Amino acid sequence: VDAVTVAGKIALPPEQCFKTLVTCGADHNHYVFVIPGSTEPNLKKAARAANCKSMRLIPLKELLPLTGYIHGGCSPIGMKKELPTFIDETAILYETVGVSGGRVGLTITLAPEQLAGMVGAEFADLT
Protein backbone atom coordinates (compact mmCIF):
# COMPACT_ATOMS: atom_id res chain seq x y z
CA VAL A 1 0.00 0.00 0.00
CA ASP A 2 1.61 3.26 -1.08
CA ALA A 3 1.35 6.60 0.72
CA VAL A 4 -1.02 8.07 -1.87
CA THR A 5 -3.48 5.19 -1.38
CA VAL A 6 -3.20 5.53 2.39
CA ALA A 7 -3.81 9.27 2.15
CA GLY A 8 -7.10 8.63 0.34
CA LYS A 9 -8.22 6.14 2.98
CA ILE A 10 -7.52 8.49 5.89
CA ALA A 11 -8.80 11.65 4.13
CA LEU A 12 -5.46 13.46 3.92
CA PRO A 13 -4.16 15.16 0.77
CA PRO A 14 -1.43 12.95 -0.80
CA GLU A 15 1.20 15.63 -0.21
CA GLN A 16 0.42 15.51 3.53
CA CYS A 17 1.00 11.74 3.84
CA PHE A 18 4.72 10.99 3.92
CA LYS A 19 6.74 7.90 3.04
CA THR A 20 9.97 6.76 4.65
CA LEU A 21 13.00 5.90 2.53
CA VAL A 22 16.23 4.34 3.79
CA THR A 23 19.41 5.03 1.88
CA CYS A 24 23.15 4.45 1.93
CA GLY A 25 25.52 7.33 1.26
CA ALA A 26 28.88 7.34 -0.50
CA ASP A 27 30.32 7.45 3.03
CA HIS A 28 28.75 3.98 3.64
CA ASN A 29 26.47 5.36 6.38
CA HIS A 30 22.71 4.87 6.33
CA TYR A 31 20.22 7.74 6.25
CA VAL A 32 16.45 8.06 6.50
CA PHE A 33 14.44 10.47 4.36
CA VAL A 34 10.77 11.26 4.94
CA ILE A 35 9.17 12.72 1.83
CA PRO A 36 5.62 13.39 0.60
CA GLY A 37 4.04 10.20 -0.70
CA SER A 38 3.04 11.92 -3.92
CA THR A 39 6.68 12.63 -4.87
CA GLU A 40 9.68 10.64 -6.03
CA PRO A 41 12.99 10.77 -4.15
CA ASN A 42 15.58 13.24 -5.38
CA LEU A 43 18.77 11.46 -4.36
CA LYS A 44 20.96 14.43 -5.30
CA LYS A 45 19.07 16.64 -2.84
CA ALA A 46 19.16 13.86 -0.26
CA ALA A 47 22.92 13.56 -0.62
CA ARG A 48 23.29 17.33 -0.30
CA ALA A 49 21.21 17.35 2.90
CA ALA A 50 23.37 14.60 4.41
CA ASN A 51 26.65 16.15 3.20
CA CYS A 52 27.44 13.11 1.06
CA LYS A 53 28.81 12.90 -2.43
CA SER A 54 26.01 10.54 -3.53
CA MET A 55 23.09 8.55 -2.16
CA ARG A 56 21.33 5.33 -3.17
CA LEU A 57 18.25 3.52 -1.90
CA ILE A 58 19.17 0.37 -0.01
CA PRO A 59 18.15 -3.01 -1.46
CA LEU A 60 14.86 -4.31 0.00
CA LYS A 61 16.63 -7.33 1.51
CA GLU A 62 18.64 -4.95 3.75
CA LEU A 63 15.60 -3.06 5.06
CA LEU A 64 14.35 -5.52 7.69
CA PRO A 65 17.73 -6.33 9.29
CA LEU A 66 18.69 -2.64 9.41
CA THR A 67 15.41 -1.06 10.54
CA GLY A 68 13.20 -3.85 11.87
CA TYR A 69 10.55 -2.89 9.30
CA ILE A 70 9.37 -4.45 6.05
CA HIS A 71 8.80 -2.62 2.78
CA GLY A 72 5.52 -0.73 2.96
CA GLY A 73 5.59 -0.56 6.75
CA CYS A 74 8.82 1.34 7.36
CA SER A 75 8.35 4.06 9.96
CA PRO A 76 10.82 6.81 10.84
CA ILE A 77 9.88 6.11 14.48
CA GLY A 78 11.31 3.16 16.41
CA MET A 79 13.93 1.83 14.03
CA LYS A 80 16.37 -0.78 15.38
CA LYS A 81 19.20 1.72 14.97
CA GLU A 82 19.04 5.47 15.32
CA LEU A 83 19.89 6.78 11.86
CA PRO A 84 20.35 10.37 10.71
CA THR A 85 16.89 11.43 9.55
CA PHE A 86 15.73 14.23 7.28
CA ILE A 87 12.15 15.35 6.69
CA ASP A 88 11.16 17.23 3.56
CA GLU A 89 10.71 20.89 4.42
CA THR A 90 7.20 20.91 2.93
CA ALA A 91 6.05 19.07 6.08
CA ILE A 92 6.16 22.33 8.04
CA LEU A 93 3.34 23.67 5.85
CA TYR A 94 0.91 21.35 7.64
CA GLU A 95 -0.43 21.18 11.17
CA THR A 96 -0.13 17.38 10.99
CA VAL A 97 1.41 14.85 8.62
CA GLY A 98 0.81 11.13 8.22
CA VAL A 99 3.68 8.62 8.45
CA SER A 100 3.82 4.86 8.68
CA GLY A 101 3.13 3.48 12.12
CA GLY A 102 5.44 0.52 11.55
CA ARG A 103 3.06 -1.94 9.89
CA VAL A 104 1.60 -2.08 6.42
CA GLY A 105 -1.67 -0.13 6.51
CA LEU A 106 -1.00 1.57 9.87
CA THR A 107 -0.59 5.34 9.66
CA ILE A 108 -0.12 7.82 12.47
CA THR A 109 -0.64 11.56 12.24
CA LEU A 110 1.35 14.05 14.25
CA ALA A 111 2.81 17.54 14.01
CA PRO A 112 5.95 17.67 11.84
CA GLU A 113 7.89 19.32 14.67
CA GLN A 114 6.84 16.51 17.01
CA LEU A 115 8.05 13.91 14.52
CA ALA A 116 11.36 15.71 14.09
CA GLY A 117 11.83 15.88 17.85
CA MET A 118 11.06 12.18 18.30
CA VAL A 119 13.62 11.00 15.78
CA GLY A 120 16.17 13.84 15.95
CA ALA A 121 15.44 14.84 12.36
CA GLU A 122 16.32 17.95 10.41
CA PHE A 123 14.06 19.59 7.84
CA ALA A 124 15.60 19.89 4.37
CA ASP A 125 14.75 20.45 0.71
CA LEU A 126 14.43 16.85 -0.51
CA THR A 127 11.93 17.02 -3.37
Side-chain angles (χ1 to χ4, degrees):
V1 178
D2 65 12
V4 173
T5 302
V6 170
K9 291 184 182 224
I10 62 173
L12 278 180
E15 59 276 3
Q16 198 172 338
C17 199
F18 283 62
K19 58 187 172 186
T20 304
L21 305 174
V22 182
T23 64
C24 185
D27 60 1
H28 303 288
N29 291 317
H30 292 96
Y31 299 90
V32 176
F33 296 94
V34 182
I35 65 170
S38 58
T39 64
E40 292 299 316
N42 183 323
L43 296 176
K44 287 183 181 184
K45 287 186 175 187
R48 196 172 313 126
N51 278 333
C52 285
K53 184 176 180 181
S54 63
M55 196 68 63
R56 66 175 174 79
L57 294 172
I58 65 168
L60 289 182
K61 66 182 180 179
E62 293 178 20
L63 187 63
L64 180 61
L66 178 66
T67 67
Y69 294 121
I70 62 169
H71 177 68
C74 188
S75 176
I77 302 166
M79 289 192 179
K80 286 171 70 172
K81 293 182 176 183
E82 191 173 316
L83 301 173
T85 302
F86 300 86
I87 302 169
D88 189 72
E89 64 189 5
T90 59
I92 61 176
L93 299 174
Y94 306 103
E95 189 174 310
T96 61
V97 294
V99 295
S100 173
R103 289 193 321 229
V104 175
L106 177 64
T107 300
I108 58 174
T109 56
L110 68 170
E113 296 81 5
Q114 184 180 16
L115 175 60
M118 292 173 74
V119 298
E122 297 177 30
F123 293 99
D125 177 14
L126 303 175
T127 56

